[in-house]
């Protein structure tokens, strides 16, 4: 015990004689504590808190085991067939990602957009803070092009102006009419600025020479368990 006190006394005397070193040591310790606190805050926000969706425990990702072809995701015709025939889900939704050239809002830029089925926002239980979600009739090929933007995109490019609804957004030289603004906390399937209708063509998907690949999420009915859905 005496040896411990002697070591502490020596350490304090050394630090007192070298104020510059002492300052660096204290700052380093403070930064280390700050980093640990920040890491915990991020983990807590991302992993420990509930997802910002209605009844997140009812949401499930739907996929098929990897096969020899090595193709990721599900064929869109599988999603269309499942959605039509399933009985265990309130709804199923499909989504994918693509890149578009954004023009008409300052310097042209390449942005990543998510293409989603009209059922996605209702499946997740999240609605726009301005305007509305996609209508079923807008989620079809050769319909009027519409878009939903993020709150950050709205603030950055439109200054939060309420007149944004009905404005034209130009992607790959095609006009899209803005119909909604998603809340700032909405991050699905990632941090996107723009969401567009997936607009799958059942005829082409089932009988065409090619098929699309999508990812699928579903909301289980309240009295349905995972085993029942898995069996189906």
């Amino acid at each position: 015990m005496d040896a411990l006190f002697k070591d502490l006394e020596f350490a304090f005397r050394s630090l007192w004689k070298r104020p510059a070193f002492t300052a660096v040591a204290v700052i380093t310790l403070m930064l280390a504590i700050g980093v640990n606190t920040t890491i915990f805050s991020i983990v807590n926000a991302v992993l420990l808190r509930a997802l910002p969706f209605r009844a997140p425990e009812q949401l499930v990702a739907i996929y098929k085991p990897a096969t020899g072809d090595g193709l990721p995701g599900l064929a869109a015709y599988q999603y269309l067939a499942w959605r039509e025939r399933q009985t265990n889900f309130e709804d199923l939704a499909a989504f994918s990602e693509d890149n578009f050239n954004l023009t008409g809002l300052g310097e042209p830029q390449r942005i990543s957009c998510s293409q989603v089925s009209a059922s996605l926002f209702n499946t997740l239980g999240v609605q726009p803070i301005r305007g509305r979600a996609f209508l079923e009739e807008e989620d079809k090929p050769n319909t009027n092009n519409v878009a939903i933007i993020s709150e950050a995109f709205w603030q950055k490019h439109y200054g939060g102006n309420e007149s944004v609804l009905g404005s034209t957004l130009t992607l790959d030289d095609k006009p899209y009419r803005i119909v909604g603004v998603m809340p700032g906390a909405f991050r699905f399937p990632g941090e996107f600025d723009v969401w567009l209708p997936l607009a799958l063509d059942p005829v082409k998907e089932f009988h065409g020479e090619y098929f699309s690949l999508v990812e699928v999420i579903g909301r289980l009915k309240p009295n349905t368990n995972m085993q029942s859905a898995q069996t189906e």
Side-chain angles (χ1 to χ4, degrees):
M1 199 68 172
D2 290 339
L4 176 60
F5 281 120
K6 286 182 180 179
D7 288 342
L8 288 173
E9 183 181 0
F10 175 76
F12 282 127
R13 257 194 272 116
S14 298
L15 290 173
W16 183 260
K17 292 178 181 179
R18 302 166 65 188
F21 173 80
T22 301
V24 172
V26 171
I27 291 172
T28 301
L29 181 61
M30 291 171 64
L31 287 173
I33 294 172
V35 168
N36 286 332
T37 302
T38 302
I39 290 174
F40 175 77
S41 298
I42 293 172
V43 170
N44 182 55
V46 175
L47 299 179
L48 304 184
R49 296 180 183 177
L51 293 171
F53 307 133
R54 174 175 60 86
E57 69 279 0
Q58 293 178 319
L59 294 174
V60 294
I62 302 173
Y63 59 93
K64 67 175 181 178
T67 57
D69 56 25
L71 294 174
L74 290 163
Y77 67 80
Q78 292 176 308
Y79 156 72
L80 293 170
W82 290 353
R83 187 182 181 193
E84 182 70 23
R85 300 172 185 174
Q86 63 81 24
T87 61
N88 284 280
F89 293 88
E90 288 185 3
D91 210 343
L92 296 178
F95 56 93
S96 64
E97 302 176 23
D98 204 349
N99 295 313
F100 292 83
N101 291 316
L102 171 67
T103 54
L105 294 175
E107 290 294 321
Q109 56 182 299
R110 190 77 170 163
I111 65 171
S112 182
C113 300
S114 181
Q115 295 174 291
V116 305
S117 62
S119 56
L120 178 75
F121 303 108
N122 187 59
T123 298
L124 295 175
V126 179
Q127 294 299 314
I129 56 173
R130 296 290 186 278
R132 59 171 175 80
F134 296 135
L135 305 176
E136 287 292 335
E137 55 265 31
E138 293 170 337
D139 189 24
K140 296 178 180 179
N142 304 317
T143 57
N144 293 327
N145 293 333
V146 291
I148 293 175
I149 61 175
S150 70
E151 185 175 13
F153 190 90
W154 177 42
Q155 294 292 342
K156 178 180 178 180
H157 294 286
Y158 297 93
N161 196 315
E162 298 290 341
S163 64
V164 67
L165 299 177
S167 297
T168 298
L169 191 65
T170 304
L171 301 172
D172 284 356
D173 295 325
K174 296 180 181 179
Y176 291 82
R177 179 169 52 89
I178 298 174
V179 297
V181 179
M182 293 304 294
F186 183 73
R187 300 284 189 276
F188 193 92
E191 192 166 353
F192 292 96
D193 285 324
V194 179
W195 292 267
L196 305 173
L198 188 56
L200 295 172
D201 187 333
V203 175
K204 288 184 178 179
E205 298 298 338
F206 280 104
H207 307 292
E209 297 180 355
Y210 72 94
F211 59 86
S212 306
L213 292 175
V214 297
E215 294 182 71
V216 179
I217 190 170
R219 176 176 291 280
L220 291 169
K221 292 180 178 178
N223 297 323
T224 300
N225 56 45
M226 285 293 294
Q227 184 177 357
S228 176
Q230 184 69 50
T231 300
E232 183 179 51

